[in-house]
Amino acid sequence: MQGSAREAAFARLRAFADKLVGRDEALGALVRATCASRLVTLHGDAGVGKTTLVRAAAQRLAEAGAFPAGVFWVSLRGVTRSQPAHLAIAQHVPTGIENALFILDGLDISLVPTLLERFPQVHLLVTARAALGLPQEQALELPPLSFSDARRLLVGWTRTELDPDESASLARLLDGNPQTVRLTAALLETEPLSALRVRLETQLTALTLHGGSTTPLILTRDLLLDRLPEGVGRLLGVLSLFATGAQAEDLEVSWGKGWQRSMEVLLRSGLAIEDEGRYQVAVDLPQPPQAALGPTGVLLALALSHLRNQQTDPAFDLAERGLAVARASQNREGFACALLVLGRITLVEDPARAALLLEEAATHFGNLHDSQNQGTARHWQGAAFSHIDQPEAALGALYEAQKTCRVSALAGLFEEIQTKLTGHGGGSLLAALELDAAGVREHGLLAARLRLGLPAK
C-alpha cells in the first residue's frame, strides 16, 4: 500500500478494533499464529466475534509491517464458486508479489485448497464456523466472552443507563455472544430492561423444556426482526441477496431512492454493517431462493414483483439489467434465470421473441443439469408458441416440460390432447399449458381431464 492509502486503511481498521472487548489474549494468539503459518483458520459460533477479531489482527500486522507486500481484506460471504473467489484475490496480486496476507471473511471452506494452490505466494487468514482439517492449517477457536465482558459490552452498546443488577441478570442469558449482546442492546431501545429479561428467560426456558434448539442469538434476532418497519425489513431481505455486499449504486438500482433511511435503522440495530462502501447483513437470515444468484437474483425478484402488478416496463428494465449483470460476472445460473424471466415478461406483447428467449433459457438450464427450471422454460415456451398459432411446436414444448414430472398417467393425457388438436375437435391448448405437474398432483387426474374438456374416465 502507498502512503495515504495505507493511512486510510489503518483508520478503517482502528474503527473496528475500538469495539474489541475481552479479546486481548485471543488477539495476541491470532497475530502470532498468522506470522508463523501460511494458513490460519479462526473458527467459532455465529456472532462470536470472528470478523471483529481478525480486523484488529489485520491492523496490528499492518502497522508492524509483518507482511511487506500488504495486508488485504476480501469479504467473500456467500461466495460458493471458485472463479469469483479467484478474481477477488487476483485483482490485488500483481505478478511476482510475495509475503502478502489475505484475510478471507466468510469464505466457503471448500474453496480454500484451490486458493492455496492458485496463489502459492500468499498467506491466508480465514474465518469459518469450524476448522478446515487441512494439513498445513493452524486452527484457533474463538470462545464466547466471559460473563463480565459480555456485561461490559452490553453497557457499552446501550444508549441508556442500565441498572447494574438487572443488566447483570440479562447478560447471563446471552451466552457470551457479542452479536447477541448487540441485538439485545438494540431491543432495549424500545423495551424496558426488566421486561426484556423476563421475556428472554421465559422463552429460553420453555424451549429447553420442550427440546427446542433455538439459541439466544436466534431468539434476539427474531424479536428484532419482528419489530422492524415494513420497508426496513424488505431492504434487509434485498440486502441478503448480495453475497459479497451491496454498494450504494446496487441498492439505488434494486431498491430506488430512500434506501438510506432504512439502512440507518439496520446499521444502528446491528443487523447490517458497512465496510469500505459495501453494506452487508450482519446476522444469519433464512435465505430466499434467489440468494445464490447474488445481485442478479435481486433484480429478477424485483422484476417478477413488477410483473405480478402488471407493470411490464419496469419489470423488463430490471430483468435486462439482471441479464447484463449476470453476463458481466459470468454467472451462468443467473444468466439462464434472467432469460427465463425476460421470456415471461415479453410473452404477451412479443410472443415470437419470448419463444426464442425461452428456447435459449431451456438450453442453458439443460447445460446446467437443472431439469426443473428447464421444464419451466419449456412450459412457458409452449404458451408463447400457442400465442403465435403454432400448436405443434407448442405441444412439443409441453411434452418436453412434462418430462420432469414423474406422473405416469400424464403421458396418456397429453396423447388425448394431441388427438383432439389434430382432429380440431376442441380442447384448450392454453389450459393444458397452464396445467403443470404440481397442479395434476394436487387436484387429481380426473379434475385435470374435466378442465381440459376431455371425458371423465
Side-chain angles (χ1 to χ4, degrees):
M1 293 186 189
Q2 301 295 322
S4 60
R6 181 187 293 270
E7 292 174 5
F10 287 170
R12 286 193 297 270
L13 292 169
R14 285 193 194 99
F16 283 89
D18 288 343
K19 300 177 183 177
L20 207 61
V21 172
R23 295 301 196 193
D24 291 343
E25 184 177 342
L27 176 59
L30 182 58
V31 168
R32 291 190 295 272
T34 304
C35 291
S37 303
R38 187 174 166 228
L39 170 63
V40 175
T41 304
L42 180 68
H43 62 96
D45 293 335
V48 78
K50 300 183 292 292
T51 299
T52 303
L53 187 66
V54 295
R55 287 192 178 280
Q59 176 195 337
R60 185 168 295 187
L61 290 164
E63 290 177 335
F67 294 89
V71 176
F72 302 92
W73 178 276
V74 183
S75 179
L76 293 172
R77 291 177 182 270
V79 173
T80 58
R81 296 179 299 150
S82 60
Q83 187 171 12
H86 289 168
L87 293 176
I89 295 179
Q91 65 180 331
H92 297 292
V93 185
T95 303
I97 192 173
E98 294 182 359
N99 206 12
L101 172 65
F102 281 81
I103 300 172
L104 307 180
D105 185 37
L107 177 70
D108 186 312
I109 60 175
S110 66
L111 303 181
V112 172
T114 61
L115 293 177
L116 288 171
E117 182 179 355
R118 173 69 175 79
F119 301 103
Q121 71 276 37
V122 303
H123 293 242
L124 300 181
L125 171 55
V126 180
T127 62
R129 295 287 180 88
L132 310 183
L134 298 175
Q136 64 270 56
E137 173 192 26
Q138 182 165 353
L140 299 177
E141 182 177 7
L142 186 61
L145 290 172
S146 67
F147 156 68
S148 59
D149 287 330
R151 182 181 176 280
R152 285 174 53 206
L153 195 61
L154 179 64
V155 172
W157 276 117
T158 306
R159 296 184 179 188
T160 58
E161 292 291 328
L162 299 180
D163 177 88
D165 293 335
E166 288 281 4
S167 62
S169 297
L170 181 58
R172 287 191 177 91
L173 301 173
L174 306 182
D175 280 357
N177 186 293
Q179 184 65 57
T180 307
V181 174
R182 180 69 186 91
L183 299 178
T184 301
L187 287 167
L188 287 172
E189 293 188 9
T190 58
E191 186 168 359
L193 189 153
S194 57
L196 180 60
R197 179 185 61 77
V198 171
R199 180 195 297 271
L200 292 177
E201 192 171 37
T202 301
Q203 294 194 32
L204 288 170
T205 300
L207 287 166
T208 301
L209 291 174
H210 291 86
S213 58
T214 296
T215 65
L217 175 60
I218 295 174
L219 183 56
T220 53
R221 178 204 68 184
D222 290 347
L223 286 173
L224 195 53
L225 291 177
D226 286 342
R227 299 183 185 186
L228 291 178
E230 180 182 354
V232 178
R234 287 176 56 218
L235 179 61
L236 186 66
V238 168
L239 187 62
S240 71
L241 299 178
F242 289 84
T244 59
Q247 294 179 311
E249 49 266 35
D250 296 324
L251 294 168
E252 188 78 25
V253 168
S254 61
W255 184 260
K257 296 185 182 299
W259 63 268
Q260 293 94 336
R261 184 176 301 175
S262 294
M263 182 61 72
E264 289 173 4
V265 176
L266 297 178
L267 294 172
R268 190 171 65 251
S269 65
L271 293 170
I273 56 174
E274 188 273 332
D275 174 40
E276 298 187 7
R278 285 188 175 273
Y279 299 90
Q280 288 184 297
V281 176
V283 296
D284 288 335
L285 295 174
Q287 292 293 311
Q290 295 88 355
L293 304 181
T296 298
V298 178
L299 295 167
L300 296 183
L302 292 170
L304 290 173
S305 176
H306 282 294
L307 183 61
R308 283 191 292 271
N309 294 325
Q310 299 181 339
Q311 300 168 336
T312 54
D313 287 342
F316 184 83
D317 292 341
L318 286 165
E320 276 209 323
R321 188 178 291 271
L323 186 71
V325 170
R327 182 187 290 113
S329 61
Q330 299 182 21
N331 183 343
R332 296 173 63 201
E333 297 88 346
F335 190 77
C337 288
L339 289 169
L340 174 60
V341 173
L342 277 170
R344 288 185 58 182
I345 293 171
T346 59
L347 180 61
V348 175
E349 295 185 0
D350 193 351
R353 184 187 180 197
L356 295 174
L357 289 168
L358 292 161
E359 171 66 32
E360 189 176 357
T363 300
H364 281 283
F365 283 126
N367 293 334
L368 293 168
H369 307 292
D370 186 345
S371 59
Q372 181 176 354
N373 277 319
Q374 185 182 26
T376 300
R378 293 294 185 193
H379 177 92
W380 288 103
Q381 187 188 32
F385 280 132
S386 73
H387 277 287
I388 55 179
D389 198 25
Q390 294 187 19
E392 291 184 3
L395 194 63
L398 181 62
Y399 272 123
E400 292 295 323
Q402 300 302 336
K403 282 182 180 178
T404 60
C405 155
R406 311 245 192 280
V407 178
S408 58
L410 281 181
L413 175 63
F414 288 117
E415 284 179 10
E416 289 192 58
I417 296 173
Q418 187 176 34
T419 301
K420 297 276 282 185
L421 288 170
T422 303
H424 303 287
S428 170
L429 178 61
L430 280 176
L433 292 169
E434 292 169 359
L435 187 71
D436 58 16
V440 173
R441 284 193 289 267
E442 181 179 353
H443 301 295
L445 198 59
L446 175 60
R449 297 181 64 83
L450 293 175
R451 179 178 174 184
L452 295 171
L454 297 171
K457 289 186 179 179

mmCIF file of all heavy atoms in Angstrom, residues 263-296:
data_model
loop_
_atom_site.group_PDB
_atom_site.id
_atom_site.type_symbol
_atom_site.label_atom_id
_atom_site.label_comp_id
_atom_site.label_asym_id
_atom_site.label_seq_id
_atom_site.Cartn_x
_atom_site.Cartn_y
_atom_site.Cartn_z
ATOM 1 N N MET A 263 -31.555 1.885 5.762
ATOM 2 C CA MET A 263 -30.237 1.339 6.063
ATOM 3 C C MET A 263 -29.709 1.858 7.402
ATOM 4 O O MET A 263 -29.047 1.134 8.152
ATOM 5 C CB MET A 263 -29.260 1.690 4.942
ATOM 6 C CG MET A 263 -27.853 1.114 5.146
ATOM 7 S SD MET A 263 -27.859 -0.699 5.227
ATOM 8 C CE MET A 263 -28.188 -1.084 3.514
ATOM 9 N N GLU A 264 -30.004 3.109 7.716
ATOM 10 C CA GLU A 264 -29.572 3.661 9.004
ATOM 11 C C GLU A 264 -30.146 2.866 10.163
ATOM 12 O O GLU A 264 -29.464 2.633 11.170
ATOM 13 C CB GLU A 264 -29.992 5.134 9.103
ATOM 14 C CG GLU A 264 -29.200 6.057 8.193
ATOM 15 C CD GLU A 264 -29.755 7.469 8.192
ATOM 16 O OE1 GLU A 264 -30.708 7.725 8.973
ATOM 17 O OE2 GLU A 264 -29.246 8.309 7.436
ATOM 18 N N VAL A 265 -31.395 2.426 10.026
ATOM 19 C CA VAL A 265 -32.009 1.618 11.084
ATOM 20 C C VAL A 265 -31.286 0.280 11.208
ATOM 21 O O VAL A 265 -30.999 -0.200 12.312
ATOM 22 C CB VAL A 265 -33.505 1.394 10.779
ATOM 23 C CG1 VAL A 265 -34.130 0.471 11.825
ATOM 24 C CG2 VAL A 265 -34.248 2.720 10.732
ATOM 25 N N LEU A 266 -30.958 -0.345 10.075
ATOM 26 C CA LEU A 266 -30.276 -1.641 10.096
ATOM 27 C C LEU A 266 -28.887 -1.517 10.695
ATOM 28 O O LEU A 266 -28.447 -2.376 11.472
ATOM 29 C CB LEU A 266 -30.195 -2.208 8.673
ATOM 30 C CG LEU A 266 -31.516 -2.522 7.984
ATOM 31 C CD1 LEU A 266 -31.274 -3.030 6.575
ATOM 32 C CD2 LEU A 266 -32.317 -3.538 8.782
ATOM 33 N N LEU A 267 -28.171 -0.466 10.348
ATOM 34 C CA LEU A 267 -26.820 -0.269 10.889
ATOM 35 C C LEU A 267 -26.867 0.001 12.387
ATOM 36 O O LEU A 267 -26.061 -0.538 13.155
ATOM 37 C CB LEU A 267 -26.132 0.891 10.160
ATOM 38 C CG LEU A 267 -25.825 0.679 8.671
ATOM 39 C CD1 LEU A 267 -25.327 1.979 8.043
ATOM 40 C CD2 LEU A 267 -24.798 -0.424 8.491
ATOM 41 N N ARG A 268 -27.815 0.823 12.810
ATOM 42 C CA ARG A 268 -27.913 1.180 14.228
ATOM 43 C C ARG A 268 -28.282 -0.021 15.087
ATOM 44 O O ARG A 268 -27.832 -0.158 16.224
ATOM 45 C CB ARG A 268 -28.940 2.296 14.398
ATOM 46 C CG ARG A 268 -28.940 2.906 15.808
ATOM 47 C CD ARG A 268 -29.802 4.150 15.892
ATOM 48 N NE ARG A 268 -31.216 3.872 15.669
ATOM 49 C CZ ARG A 268 -31.900 4.224 14.595
ATOM 50 N NH1 ARG A 268 -31.304 4.881 13.609
ATOM 51 N NH2 ARG A 268 -33.183 3.946 14.479
ATOM 52 N N SER A 269 -29.079 -0.923 14.521
ATOM 53 C CA SER A 269 -29.522 -2.081 15.299
ATOM 54 C C SER A 269 -28.538 -3.240 15.250
ATOM 55 O O SER A 269 -28.731 -4.240 15.938
ATOM 56 C CB SER A 269 -30.881 -2.557 14.767
ATOM 57 O OG SER A 269 -30.757 -3.036 13.439
ATOM 58 N N GLY A 270 -27.495 -3.127 14.413
ATOM 59 C CA GLY A 270 -26.533 -4.208 14.315
ATOM 60 C C GLY A 270 -26.964 -5.321 13.378
ATOM 61 O O GLY A 270 -26.309 -6.366 13.323
ATOM 62 N N LEU A 271 -28.044 -5.126 12.618
ATOM 63 C CA LEU A 271 -28.485 -6.134 11.658
ATOM 64 C C LEU A 271 -27.685 -6.057 10.358
ATOM 65 O O LEU A 271 -27.665 -7.004 9.575
ATOM 66 C CB LEU A 271 -29.966 -5.972 11.353
ATOM 67 C CG LEU A 271 -30.908 -6.283 12.526
ATOM 68 C CD1 LEU A 271 -32.332 -5.855 12.199
ATOM 69 C CD2 LEU A 271 -30.868 -7.761 12.871
ATOM 70 N N ALA A 272 -27.047 -4.923 10.116
ATOM 71 C CA ALA A 272 -26.219 -4.753 8.921
ATOM 72 C C ALA A 272 -24.949 -4.015 9.316
ATOM 73 O O ALA A 272 -24.891 -3.348 10.358
ATOM 74 C CB ALA A 272 -26.971 -3.976 7.843
ATOM 75 N N ILE A 273 -23.923 -4.164 8.491
ATOM 76 C CA ILE A 273 -22.659 -3.456 8.709
ATOM 77 C C ILE A 273 -22.256 -2.778 7.404
ATOM 78 O O ILE A 273 -22.681 -3.185 6.320
ATOM 79 C CB ILE A 273 -21.530 -4.404 9.163
ATOM 80 C CG1 ILE A 273 -21.338 -5.547 8.155
ATOM 81 C CG2 ILE A 273 -21.809 -4.950 10.552
ATOM 82 C CD1 ILE A 273 -20.151 -6.431 8.472
ATOM 83 N N GLU A 274 -21.446 -1.746 7.517
ATOM 84 C CA GLU A 274 -20.917 -1.057 6.342
ATOM 85 C C GLU A 274 -19.402 -1.083 6.416
ATOM 86 O O GLU A 274 -18.807 -0.797 7.452
ATOM 87 C CB GLU A 274 -21.417 0.384 6.304
ATOM 88 C CG GLU A 274 -21.069 1.136 5.024
ATOM 89 C CD GLU A 274 -19.708 1.801 5.049
ATOM 90 O OE1 GLU A 274 -19.249 2.147 6.159
ATOM 91 O OE2 GLU A 274 -19.094 1.968 3.967
ATOM 92 N N ASP A 275 -18.766 -1.472 5.316
ATOM 93 C CA ASP A 275 -17.309 -1.561 5.287
ATOM 94 C C ASP A 275 -16.810 -1.172 3.905
ATOM 95 O O ASP A 275 -17.165 -1.801 2.910
ATOM 96 C CB ASP A 275 -16.857 -2.996 5.625
ATOM 97 C CG ASP A 275 -15.354 -3.175 5.454
ATOM 98 O OD1 ASP A 275 -14.623 -2.241 5.831
ATOM 99 O OD2 ASP A 275 -14.922 -4.220 4.953
ATOM 100 N N GLU A 276 -16.032 -0.111 3.853
ATOM 101 C CA GLU A 276 -15.423 0.339 2.608
ATOM 102 C C GLU A 276 -16.464 0.506 1.497
ATOM 103 O O GLU A 276 -16.274 0.093 0.350
ATOM 104 C CB GLU A 276 -14.311 -0.617 2.166
ATOM 105 C CG GLU A 276 -13.165 -0.702 3.155
ATOM 106 C CD GLU A 276 -11.995 -1.524 2.633
ATOM 107 O OE1 GLU A 276 -12.024 -1.912 1.448
ATOM 108 O OE2 GLU A 276 -11.070 -1.775 3.400
ATOM 109 N N GLY A 277 -17.596 1.094 1.861
ATOM 110 C CA GLY A 277 -18.619 1.383 0.859
ATOM 111 C C GLY A 277 -19.525 0.225 0.510
ATOM 112 O O GLY A 277 -20.368 0.345 -0.377
ATOM 113 N N ARG A 278 -19.387 -0.916 1.202
ATOM 114 C CA ARG A 278 -20.256 -2.073 0.948
ATOM 115 C C ARG A 278 -21.089 -2.365 2.187
ATOM 116 O O ARG A 278 -20.578 -2.340 3.299
ATOM 117 C CB ARG A 278 -19.427 -3.308 0.578
ATOM 118 C CG ARG A 278 -18.873 -3.266 -0.836
ATOM 119 C CD ARG A 278 -18.228 -4.591 -1.216
ATOM 120 N NE ARG A 278 -17.800 -4.580 -2.591
ATOM 121 C CZ ARG A 278 -18.560 -4.900 -3.636
ATOM 122 N NH1 ARG A 278 -19.811 -5.284 -3.428
ATOM 123 N NH2 ARG A 278 -18.101 -4.860 -4.857
ATOM 124 N N TYR A 279 -22.355 -2.662 1.949
ATOM 125 C CA TYR A 279 -23.278 -2.975 3.033
ATOM 126 C C TYR A 279 -23.552 -4.474 3.030
ATOM 127 O O TYR A 279 -23.788 -5.071 1.986
ATOM 128 C CB TYR A 279 -24.588 -2.214 2.851
ATOM 129 C CG TYR A 279 -24.425 -0.716 2.873
ATOM 130 C CD1 TYR A 279 -24.176 -0.016 1.691
ATOM 131 C CD2 TYR A 279 -24.511 0.000 4.059
ATOM 132 C CE1 TYR A 279 -24.017 1.363 1.697
ATOM 133 C CE2 TYR A 279 -24.355 1.383 4.079
ATOM 134 C CZ TYR A 279 -24.105 2.051 2.889
ATOM 135 O OH TYR A 279 -23.949 3.411 2.909
ATOM 136 N N GLN A 280 -23.528 -5.069 4.236
ATOM 137 C CA GLN A 280 -23.766 -6.496 4.352
ATOM 138 C C GLN A 280 -24.675 -6.792 5.534
ATOM 139 O O GLN A 280 -24.683 -6.058 6.527
ATOM 140 C CB GLN A 280 -22.445 -7.249 4.564
ATOM 141 C CG GLN A 280 -21.555 -7.311 3.342
ATOM 142 C CD GLN A 280 -20.323 -8.158 3.603
ATOM 143 O OE1 GLN A 280 -19.511 -7.833 4.450
ATOM 144 N NE2 GLN A 280 -20.199 -9.246 2.870
ATOM 145 N N VAL A 281 -25.436 -7.877 5.413
ATOM 146 C CA VAL A 281 -26.225 -8.366 6.540
ATOM 147 C C VAL A 281 -25.271 -8.929 7.587
ATOM 148 O O VAL A 281 -24.328 -9.660 7.264
ATOM 149 C CB VAL A 281 -27.212 -9.453 6.080
ATOM 150 C CG1 VAL A 281 -27.961 -10.037 7.260
ATOM 151 C CG2 VAL A 281 -28.197 -8.871 5.071
ATOM 152 N N ALA A 282 -25.484 -8.583 8.856
ATOM 153 C CA ALA A 282 -24.568 -8.985 9.922
ATOM 154 C C ALA A 282 -25.041 -10.202 10.696
ATOM 155 O O ALA A 282 -24.322 -10.697 11.550
ATOM 156 C CB ALA A 282 -24.365 -7.818 10.899
ATOM 157 N N VAL A 283 -26.233 -10.687 10.429
ATOM 158 C CA VAL A 283 -26.746 -11.860 11.134
ATOM 159 C C VAL A 283 -27.204 -12.885 10.107
ATOM 160 O O VAL A 283 -27.473 -12.558 8.951
ATOM 161 C CB VAL A 283 -27.944 -11.496 12.056
ATOM 162 C CG1 VAL A 283 -27.515 -10.562 13.165
ATOM 163 C CG2 VAL A 283 -29.076 -10.894 11.256
ATOM 164 N N ASP A 284 -27.260 -14.134 10.518
ATOM 165 C CA ASP A 284 -27.752 -15.181 9.630
ATOM 166 C C ASP A 284 -29.252 -15.011 9.423
ATOM 167 O O ASP A 284 -30.004 -14.859 10.382
ATOM 168 C CB ASP A 284 -27.476 -16.567 10.217
ATOM 169 C CG ASP A 284 -26.001 -16.923 10.147
ATOM 170 O OD1 ASP A 284 -25.315 -16.377 9.265
ATOM 171 O OD2 ASP A 284 -25.548 -17.727 10.974
ATOM 172 N N LEU A 285 -29.678 -15.047 8.175
ATOM 173 C CA LEU A 285 -31.090 -14.945 7.841
ATOM 174 C C LEU A 285 -31.487 -16.147 6.991
ATOM 175 O O LEU A 285 -30.650 -16.693 6.268
ATOM 176 C CB LEU A 285 -31.369 -13.664 7.040
ATOM 177 C CG LEU A 285 -31.152 -12.332 7.750
ATOM 178 C CD1 LEU A 285 -31.329 -11.202 6.755
ATOM 179 C CD2 LEU A 285 -32.138 -12.180 8.896
ATOM 180 N N PRO A 286 -32.756 -16.577 7.065
ATOM 181 C CA PRO A 286 -33.211 -17.600 6.119
ATOM 182 C C PRO A 286 -33.041 -17.071 4.694
ATOM 183 O O PRO A 286 -33.527 -15.989 4.362
ATOM 184 C CB PRO A 286 -34.695 -17.776 6.475
ATOM 185 C CG PRO A 286 -34.825 -17.239 7.867
ATOM 186 C CD PRO A 286 -33.804 -16.147 7.989
ATOM 187 N N GLN A 287 -32.329 -17.828 3.851
ATOM 188 C CA GLN A 287 -32.007 -17.340 2.520
ATOM 189 C C GLN A 287 -33.125 -17.644 1.526
ATOM 190 O O GLN A 287 -33.551 -18.791 1.402
ATOM 191 C CB GLN A 287 -30.716 -17.988 2.024
ATOM 192 C CG GLN A 287 -29.487 -17.545 2.806
ATOM 193 C CD GLN A 287 -29.172 -16.075 2.591
ATOM 194 O OE1 GLN A 287 -29.117 -15.601 1.476
ATOM 195 N NE2 GLN A 287 -28.981 -15.350 3.670
ATOM 196 N N PRO A 288 -33.587 -16.645 0.791
ATOM 197 C CA PRO A 288 -34.578 -16.900 -0.257
ATOM 198 C C PRO A 288 -33.944 -17.606 -1.441
ATOM 199 O O PRO A 288 -32.727 -17.645 -1.566
ATOM 200 C CB PRO A 288 -35.048 -15.481 -0.641
ATOM 201 C CG PRO A 288 -33.896 -14.603 -0.270
ATOM 202 C CD PRO A 288 -33.236 -15.242 0.922
ATOM 203 N N PRO A 289 -34.758 -18.177 -2.351
ATOM 204 C CA PRO A 289 -34.191 -18.935 -3.464
ATOM 205 C C PRO A 289 -33.257 -18.125 -4.346
ATOM 206 O O PRO A 289 -32.368 -18.669 -4.957
ATOM 207 C CB PRO A 289 -35.443 -19.371 -4.256
ATOM 208 C CG PRO A 289 -36.562 -19.312 -3.272
ATOM 209 C CD PRO A 289 -36.207 -18.203 -2.327
ATOM 210 N N GLN A 290 -33.457 -16.801 -4.417
ATOM 211 C CA GLN A 290 -32.623 -16.001 -5.296
ATOM 212 C C GLN A 290 -31.248 -15.724 -4.715
ATOM 213 O O GLN A 290 -30.393 -15.141 -5.372
ATOM 214 C CB GLN A 290 -33.295 -14.646 -5.595
ATOM 215 C CG GLN A 290 -34.583 -14.747 -6.372
ATOM 216 C CD GLN A 290 -35.774 -14.931 -5.455
ATOM 217 O OE1 GLN A 290 -35.626 -15.069 -4.246
ATOM 218 N NE2 GLN A 290 -36.965 -14.954 -6.021
ATOM 219 N N ALA A 291 -30.991 -16.156 -3.461
ATOM 220 C CA ALA A 291 -29.746 -15.773 -2.805
ATOM 221 C C ALA A 291 -28.520 -16.240 -3.568
ATOM 222 O O ALA A 291 -27.520 -15.539 -3.657
ATOM 223 C CB ALA A 291 -29.722 -16.341 -1.381
ATOM 224 N N ALA A 292 -28.581 -17.451 -4.135
ATOM 225 C CA ALA A 292 -27.420 -17.985 -4.843
ATOM 226 C C ALA A 292 -27.106 -17.187 -6.105
ATOM 227 O O ALA A 292 -26.008 -17.298 -6.648
ATOM 228 C CB ALA A 292 -27.653 -19.450 -5.205
ATOM 229 N N LEU A 293 -28.045 -16.385 -6.580
ATOM 230 C CA LEU A 293 -27.831 -15.620 -7.801
ATOM 231 C C LEU A 293 -27.205 -14.259 -7.533
ATOM 232 O O LEU A 293 -26.889 -13.531 -8.471
ATOM 233 C CB LEU A 293 -29.163 -15.430 -8.544
ATOM 234 C CG LEU A 293 -29.924 -16.708 -8.898
ATOM 235 C CD1 LEU A 293 -31.198 -16.353 -9.646
ATOM 236 C CD2 LEU A 293 -29.072 -17.634 -9.734
ATOM 237 N N GLY A 294 -27.034 -13.878 -6.268
ATOM 238 C CA GLY A 294 -26.394 -12.616 -5.955
ATOM 239 C C GLY A 294 -27.197 -11.427 -6.446
ATOM 240 O O GLY A 294 -28.435 -11.435 -6.461
ATOM 241 N N PRO A 295 -26.522 -10.354 -6.923
ATOM 242 C CA PRO A 295 -27.233 -9.158 -7.394
ATOM 243 C C PRO A 295 -28.219 -9.448 -8.514
ATOM 244 O O PRO A 295 -29.266 -8.819 -8.599
ATOM 245 C CB PRO A 295 -26.089 -8.254 -7.880
ATOM 246 C CG PRO A 295 -24.905 -8.690 -7.091
ATOM 247 C CD PRO A 295 -25.075 -10.174 -6.894
ATOM 248 N N THR A 296 -27.915 -10.422 -9.379
ATOM 249 C CA THR A 296 -28.864 -10.785 -10.436
ATOM 250 C C THR A 296 -30.176 -11.257 -9.826
ATOM 251 O O THR A 296 -31.265 -10.916 -10.316
ATOM 252 C CB THR A 296 -28.278 -11.893 -11.325
ATOM 253 O OG1 THR A 296 -27.099 -11.403 -11.961
ATOM 254 C CG2 THR A 296 -29.266 -12.332 -12.394
#
